[in-house]
Amino acid sequence: QVSLVESGGGSVEAGGSLTVSCAASGYGFDRICMGWFRQVPGKEREGVAAVTTHFGSPYYFDFAPYYADSVSGRFTLSQDHGKSTLTLRMNRLQPEDTAMYYCAARARYECESGSWWAPTRYQYWGQGTQVTVSS
């Protein structure tokens, strides 16, 4: 059972930056696809970014992350293997980025270009952290 705990988020004015982090535990697999999703009330959950990671393995190499077109060039994923943490740095935030941000994990699989953005592919979810951008 994988446990995901988000932290960070908060409120910022348009053009500002925020960071959200996801700490994974209970992780016993070699590869895992971890992603960030966001959701606003009344809309479907949207894939923001994802990357294949090797938390827990002493042998790993960095996979290229995937980003939604709406955030590409503004958001950046980074990993801390020692802390099993995935961080999303969000720059040049806009009011349309306001949402609840969720961390998700798909165990035993690499992220795939055709499906990383699909919430139904992920087995484990964090509780969410709010990001609010004011104009």
Side-chain angles (χ1 to χ4, degrees), residues 34 60 71 76 80 102 108:
M34 289 188 67
Y60 66 88
V71 306
T76 303
D80 184 331
Y102 296 90
R108 303 185 184 275

Side-chain angles (χ1 to χ4, degrees), residues 34-117:
M34 289 188 67
W36 283 98
F37 290 76
R38 63 187 182 187
Q39 190 171 25
V40 297
K43 291 190 176 181
E44 293 185 354
R45 195 163 291 189
E46 173 192 19
V48 176
V51 68
T52 299
T53 184
H54 290 245
F55 291 158
S57 171
Y59 308 106
Y60 66 88
F61 59 90
D62 289 331
F63 287 84
Y66 296 100
Y67 296 100
D69 289 344
S70 59
V71 306
S72 182
R74 299 189 298 124
F75 290 13
T76 303
L77 281 174
S78 62
Q79 304 177 50
D80 184 331
H81 287 265
K83 297 181 180 179
S84 297
T85 299
L86 182 70
T87 297
L88 182 68
R89 174 67 174 178
M90 302 177 288
N91 296 325
R92 305 199 307 274
L93 283 161
Q94 299 301 316
E96 52 266 36
D97 294 316
T98 294
M100 185 71 78
Y101 281 70
Y102 296 90
C103 177
R106 186 186 184 203
R108 303 185 184 275
Y109 291 93
E110 296 178 11
C111 299
E112 299 172 338
S113 60
S115 64
W116 70 265
W117 43 266

